[in-house]
């Protein structure tokens, strides 16, 4: 069974600070996705990374896929209250349509 | 709005009962996925359908079953409900069900079993 552990589980920081969320596994994934989920809604895809070492930027969010494709990180610069939510990583392998979701990081940005 | 609709939004029922959750995928999407999200287990993949056929199975209990109809909407049936089945149930859809595709999630059905 492939597992994805996210850390920290909870994070509460002040507006304007930087933060990093981690997603780790002992298994290799073909691709890794990051989602944000807000209360009362379903997860929304932020980014997909598929190449080991790949870095993608989405405005103030920077996503990195580990060289060995077993881990990933999400870095947010100058956090804003609108970044508040549950961040989920999810891994998949080619030929297997099942997504394995991480344990989640609940982020709260304090104005 | 993802384009995926789920009904009902909330459902309260008793142990031992049976319920049906309904999902309509985005227009043009052929594949539907069902997930369960609980506080202790996180978001767990249950089952996937593609164009009416079961394609992949996850941690779905034998008390649970699903199907996808010719018009591509899907239903998840939960029977002999237990307290531990209380959770958010999400449906997602994608164009062809490939692992590389974006899955678009619906707003979920919150099930409470008393």
């Amino acid at each position: 069974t492939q597992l994805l552990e996210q850390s920290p589980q909870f994070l509460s920081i002040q507006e304007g600070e930087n933060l990093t969320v981690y997603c780790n596994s002992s298994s290799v994934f073909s691709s890794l996705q990051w989602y944000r989920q807000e209360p009362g809604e379903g997860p929304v895809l932020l980014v997909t990374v598929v190449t080991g070492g790949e870095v993608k930027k989405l405005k103030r969010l920077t996503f990195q896929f580990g060289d060995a494709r077993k881990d990933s990180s999400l870095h947010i610069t100058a956090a804003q209250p609108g970044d508040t939510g549950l961040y989920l990583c999810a891994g998949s392998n080619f030929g297997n349509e099942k997504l394995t979701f991480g344990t989640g990081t609940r982020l709260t940005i304090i104005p | 709005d993802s384009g995926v609709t789920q009904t009902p939004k909330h459902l309260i029922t008793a142990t031992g009962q049976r319920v049906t959750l309904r999902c309509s995928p985005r227009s043009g999407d052929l594949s539907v996925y069902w997930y369960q999200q609980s506080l202790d287990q996180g978001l767990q993949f249950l089952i996937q359908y593609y164009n009416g056929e079961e394609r992949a199975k996850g941690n779905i209990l034998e008390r649970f079953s699903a199907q996808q109809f010719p018009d591509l909407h899907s239903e998840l049936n939960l029977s002999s409900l237990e307290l531990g089945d209380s959770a958010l149930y999400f449906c997602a859809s994608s164009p062809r069900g490939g692992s590389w595709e974006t899955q678009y999630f619906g707003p979920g059905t919150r099930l409470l079993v008393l």
Side-chain angles (χ1 to χ4, degrees):
Chain A
T1 303
Q2 295 180 308
L3 296 174
L4 282 165
E5 295 286 336
Q6 289 185 238
S7 60
Q9 188 177 357
F10 298 94
L11 183 58
S12 183
I13 63 170
Q14 294 287 335
E15 180 178 359
E17 294 183 354
N18 302 333
L19 67 107
T20 302
V21 173
Y22 300 93
C23 172
N24 294 295
S25 175
S26 58
S27 304
V28 174
F29 289 97
S30 299
S31 67
L32 203 129
Q33 300 177 337
W34 283 92
Y35 291 79
R36 181 169 65 214
Q37 183 180 9
E38 299 187 21
E41 299 180 11
V44 175
L45 180 67
L46 297 174
V47 78
T48 301
V49 285
V50 297
T51 306
E54 182 177 1
V55 177
K56 279 193 174 178
K57 290 192 174 185
L58 187 66
K59 296 183 181 178
R60 295 176 294 99
L61 279 60
T62 301
F63 304 85
Q64 183 162 10
F65 201 11
D67 291 340
R69 303 209 312 276
K70 292 182 179 181
D71 56 87
S72 181
S73 63
L74 158 60
H75 183 79
I76 301 180
T77 303
Q80 299 178 0
D83 296 327
T84 293
L86 177 66
Y87 287 81
L88 296 162
C89 63
S92 68
N93 287 297
F94 293 135
N96 181 353
E97 285 72 23
K98 185 178 85 167
L99 267 181
T100 299
F101 277 86
T103 48
T105 293
R106 193 166 295 278
L107 174 64
T108 302
I109 307 301
I110 304 165
Chain B
D1 184 356
S2 66
V4 177
T5 60
Q6 290 186 247
T7 57
K9 192 165 178 64
H10 301 278
L11 197 48
I12 302 175
T13 189
T15 54
Q17 295 297 305
R18 172 190 170 94
V19 297
T20 298
L21 312 184
R22 182 188 169 101
C23 167
S24 292
R26 290 189 324 152
S27 177
D29 283 358
L30 299 178
S31 192
V32 168
Y33 309 77
W34 285 98
Y35 292 87
Q36 179 193 57
Q37 187 174 39
S38 61
L39 285 175
D40 57 342
Q41 294 289 324
L43 194 59
Q44 301 272 319
F45 167 73
L46 295 178
I47 198 163
Q48 179 200 6
Y49 281 83
Y50 172 75
N51 205 21
E53 299 289 327
E54 180 184 308
R55 174 171 275 191
K57 218 167 187 176
N59 302 321
I60 188 165
L61 299 173
E62 286 192 10
R63 300 184 286 108
F64 296 0
S65 64
Q67 60 185 122
Q68 186 179 26
F69 294 87
D71 67 352
L72 300 177
H73 91 271
S74 179
E75 292 181 356
L76 178 67
N77 299 296
L78 314 177
S79 62
S80 303
L81 285 167
E82 302 176 359
L83 296 177
D85 297 327
S86 296
L88 270 168
Y89 290 85
F90 287 102
C91 167
S93 73
S94 71
R96 288 177 180 77
S99 58
W100 63 92
E101 292 181 343
T102 298
Q103 293 184 26
Y104 296 88
F105 283 77
T109 293
R110 186 176 293 275
L111 173 66
L112 180 60
V113 182
L114 299 175

